[in-house]
Amino acid sequence: MGMRFEQDGIGAAALRLLAGTGSVIALLAAWEVLARAGVVSEFLLPRFSDVVGRIWEDALGGVLFVQIGLTVWRAVLGFALAGLVGIVVGVVMARNRGANWFFDPIVSIGFPSPKIAFLPVFILWFGLDDSSKVLMTVFAAVFPVIVATAAGTEGVDKYLIWSARNAGASERDILHEIVLPAALPQIMTGLQVALPISLIITIVSEMVMGGEGLGGNMIQAGRFADSLGVFAGIVQIAIAGYVLIKGMEILRRRLLAWHQETQQISTF
Amino acid sequence: MADASAAGAGGIRIANVGHTYRPPRGRPVTALEEVSLEVAENEFLALLGPSGCGKSTLLYLIGGFLPIESGGISVGGTPVAAPGPDRGVVFQHFALFPWKTVRENVLYGLEKQRLPKAEREARAAAFIEMVHLDGFEDSYPSQLSGGMKQRVAIARTLAMDPGTLLMDEPFGALDAQTRSLMHEELLAILKRTAKTVVFVTHDVQEAVLLADRVAVMTARPGRIKTVVDVADVGGAADAIRDPRFVEKVDFLWGQVRDEALAAQKGGAG
């Protein structure tokens, strides 16, 4: 958005990328300059180039991919389960008065409350391994999906449903073929809110519980006064988060190719 | 019975129908009261009335979308109980499925009717061509103009080959030129495939131009105020200059105007 570039090949693509990430590059350059100038000690702020070097080292040894893979796996698994449960509960809430009576107050209380406060309970119940980290993630990420799905399902245009009924669709057809596709833009928005929450909660859980994974490693590095390791962890988390969010945006554009918002983007 | 024969085999009989909306909060609203009307097979009836008089309600009762609380409606001799593909509806705001392309929108009902694939495809193509949208088969509704969307909606409904066509102000959202073209197209289509039509509108000229008979409804609660035969006028674009056409339009205008004024007073009180 904002600036426009002629679409004339790789040069323009590179220019677009630069325009989109210019502020990040400027920030990293400032970091490097500040660290090299010796304004603060290497321990408080290691050079960005050294941090990249550390990540490169970890990548060569293969450790990096194991750590990132573990964290992303937990976050994505938690996110997927939250999405599944959230969509089912949201649809049921919107279509069943009894379910709405039951879930609505729970969601109203649960959505704004800090879910991470339940972490000790999850540790108590499920131990320190993967399952408690994933379940903690599901618990934190499920609320925005429930709320978005319920709102989207309730808001489906009555005439779309009548139109399908007129064509001879059964009530089951209508749920799958009309209500869910019509609510998809809002469901996708709920999922887009849930994805960063999943990553955040997974990493915080790793930090508290320890063990393998980006969060656990960063806390470990902190304990050993390995400031390079701490900053490397931050950069790795940022990259993992960026890739996940971009992937989600691409998925949204694919699934909602019919939607007005997508066509405005594609005509740009 | 004289009235039974008037409705004919494929006609519509509406007898003493009433309808009351009961919103979850607020007072119940009586939309229709003691409405009786007959539409003969292959007749084009326009329902005319001020906004809020219950003409759409009557249409959706015939469609089977709303429960019939008092009186009875039968279409082709069968009492209406639920929506069905024998009564094709064209909705005011098109009600196209935005995630389906033009072709997929037209195919949807044919799939629900379990027609063989080859026949579905052939029929969809034929009806898309009939409304002059060939070349736009793979477009999504959001890429089409209002007139094109309404043509898709009409093609989708006609492809199901319903004996009865229920149209709820189908051209209300279109500009004057497009509307005039749509009138010609609709009449041409009906000349090829005869259907019983109930057409809701608040446009008097449109009603006289298209319909065989025009039923004027009163302000809420809606009843049938008068039914006027207009089969001898209209039917072509140049009919609007015919003095007999103008006379019928003027008469109906007077009837509707009285009710619109009554509706305003009712709204103020």
Side-chain angles (χ1 to χ4, degrees):
Chain A
M1 310 266 203
M3 274 181 280
R4 295 179 74 110
F5 297 98
E6 297 304 318
Q7 295 189 327
D8 59 2
I10 299 166
L15 212 60
R16 242 198 322 269
L17 190 70
L18 197 68
T21 55
S23 56
V24 177
I25 291 169
L27 197 70
L28 295 177
W31 173 1
E32 182 73 21
V33 169
L34 209 65
R36 273 179 192 270
V39 182
V40 284
S41 76
E42 284 261 323
F43 180 71
L44 292 183
L45 186 66
R47 292 175 187 176
F48 175 61
S49 51
D50 289 344
V51 171
V52 172
R54 165 64 80 88
I55 295 173
W56 180 246
E57 236 170 71
D58 288 348
L60 286 182
V63 194
L64 176 70
F65 303 109
V66 175
Q67 302 306 321
I68 289 187
L70 262 175
T71 298
V72 168
W73 160 246
R74 286 168 188 150
V76 169
L77 182 64
F79 166 74
L81 290 172
L84 201 70
V85 173
I87 290 170
V88 170
V89 172
V91 167
V92 170
M93 257 180 86
R95 290 171 70 90
N96 182 296
R97 199 168 294 189
N100 191 56
W101 170 84
F102 180 78
F103 282 112
D104 190 57
I106 297 176
V107 172
S108 299
I109 294 169
F111 196 11
S113 74
K115 265 73 71 182
I116 196 71
F118 286 81
L119 192 54
V121 179
F122 277 75
I123 295 172
L124 196 65
W125 288 353
F126 305 107
L128 283 169
D129 58 4
D130 266 13
S131 58
S132 59
K133 290 168 191 160
V134 172
L135 287 171
M136 185 65 233
T137 304
V138 174
F139 179 56
V142 78
F143 289 97
V145 185
I146 295 176
V147 171
T149 305
T153 308
E154 265 166 27
V156 174
D157 183 7
K158 170 179 82 178
Y159 292 107
L160 288 184
I161 293 170
W162 282 14
S163 178
R165 224 169 255 165
N166 190 224
S170 67
E171 289 308 305
R172 226 185 113 166
D173 290 342
I174 286 172
L175 176 62
H176 292 132
E177 295 165 3
I178 310 300
V179 172
L180 284 179
L184 191 59
Q186 267 166 292
I187 294 174
M188 286 304 290
T189 303
L191 291 175
Q192 277 178 304
V193 173
L195 183 61
I197 293 177
S198 300
L199 191 63
I200 291 165
I201 294 296
T202 298
I203 288 169
V204 172
S205 302
E206 287 175 348
M207 283 175 155
V208 175
M209 297 186 203
E212 303 288 305
L214 293 180
N217 273 15
M218 266 184 73
I219 288 294
Q220 190 83 343
R223 285 200 186 116
F224 285 94
D226 172 14
S227 74
L228 207 53
V230 171
F231 280 94
I234 291 172
V235 172
Q236 286 160 8
I237 289 168
I239 292 170
Y242 182 80
V243 170
L244 285 179
I245 301 291
K246 280 290 154 189
M248 192 70 188
E249 274 176 26
I250 291 169
L251 187 69
R252 183 189 180 99
R253 234 168 293 163
R254 279 273 168 92
L255 287 177
L256 299 182
W258 52 273
H259 205 256
Q260 231 143 12
E261 62 169 36
T262 314
Q263 277 149 30
Q264 271 151 17
I265 289 167
S266 66
T267 51
F268 160 59
Chain B
M1 264 160 72
D3 49 5
S5 60
I12 303 167
R13 286 196 65 181
I14 301 161
N16 304 318
V17 165
H19 194 78
T20 304
Y21 287 104
R22 292 180 182 80
R25 291 179 198 94
R27 281 182 299 165
V29 176
T30 306
L32 293 175
E33 212 170 64
E34 293 286 307
V35 171
S36 295
L37 192 64
E38 306 217 335
V39 188
E41 187 171 10
N42 298 338
E43 185 185 23
F44 193 128
L45 180 102
L47 269 180
L48 195 61
S51 46
C53 74
K55 49 195 192 301
S56 294
T57 303
L58 184 56
L59 192 82
Y60 292 132
L61 282 167
I62 303 169
F65 299 104
L66 300 171
I68 298 169
E69 294 167 340
S70 61
I73 300 179
S74 65
V75 174
T78 315
V80 169
D86 59 316
R87 285 150 287 144
V89 181
V90 178
F91 296 93
Q92 186 176 3
H93 296 292
F94 325 130
L96 296 174
F97 305 126
W99 57 91
K100 289 181 185 289
T101 62
V102 168
R103 184 190 286 112
E104 288 166 348
N105 264 286
V106 177
L107 279 172
Y108 184 75
L110 305 176
E111 281 159 15
K112 291 294 134 201
Q113 296 312 304
R114 296 169 203 281
L115 289 177
K117 191 166 191 285
E119 196 190 332
R120 289 200 305 253
E121 302 281 347
R123 251 215 238 186
F127 279 91
I128 289 169
E129 206 190 317
M130 185 187 231
V131 296
H132 311 301
L133 280 172
D134 30 333
F136 291 94
E137 289 89 347
D138 298 317
S139 300
Y140 287 106
S142 59
Q143 297 168 312
L144 305 178
S145 69
M148 291 162 92
K149 278 184 212 170
Q150 194 54 287
R151 265 142 63 195
V152 179
I154 290 172
R156 174 175 71 169
T157 304
L158 288 176
M160 305 273 292
D161 195 22
T164 304
L165 203 52
L166 306 172
M167 306 179 90
D168 185 15
E169 298 193 33
F171 309 137
L174 307 182
D175 61 84
Q177 287 90 341
T178 312
R179 195 182 317 168
S180 175
L181 289 174
M182 297 295 294
H183 288 159
E184 285 175 35
E185 249 173 64
L186 179 62
L187 289 174
I189 289 166
L190 289 175
K191 208 166 269 178
R192 266 174 282 169
T193 53
K195 293 188 188 308
T196 308
V197 183
V198 179
F199 188 102
V200 166
T201 182
H202 56 250
D203 182 336
V204 178
Q205 194 164 310
E206 180 176 72
V208 178
L209 187 70
L210 296 175
D212 298 319
R213 283 192 304 153
V214 179
V216 180
M217 291 183 70
T218 64
R220 198 163 56 214
R223 302 161 191 257
I224 302 298
K225 181 184 169 103
T226 180
V227 181
V228 178
D229 195 323
V230 297
D232 54 331
V233 295
D238 56 357
I240 55 170
R241 282 189 292 274
D242 182 343
R244 289 180 306 151
F245 181 91
V246 176
E247 192 186 313
K248 293 251 154 122
V249 169
D250 283 347
F251 173 74
L252 285 164
W253 242 121
Q255 300 283 314
V256 176
R257 199 181 126 81
D258 292 346
E259 293 309 319
L261 287 174
Q264 270 181 354
K265 264 187 212 138

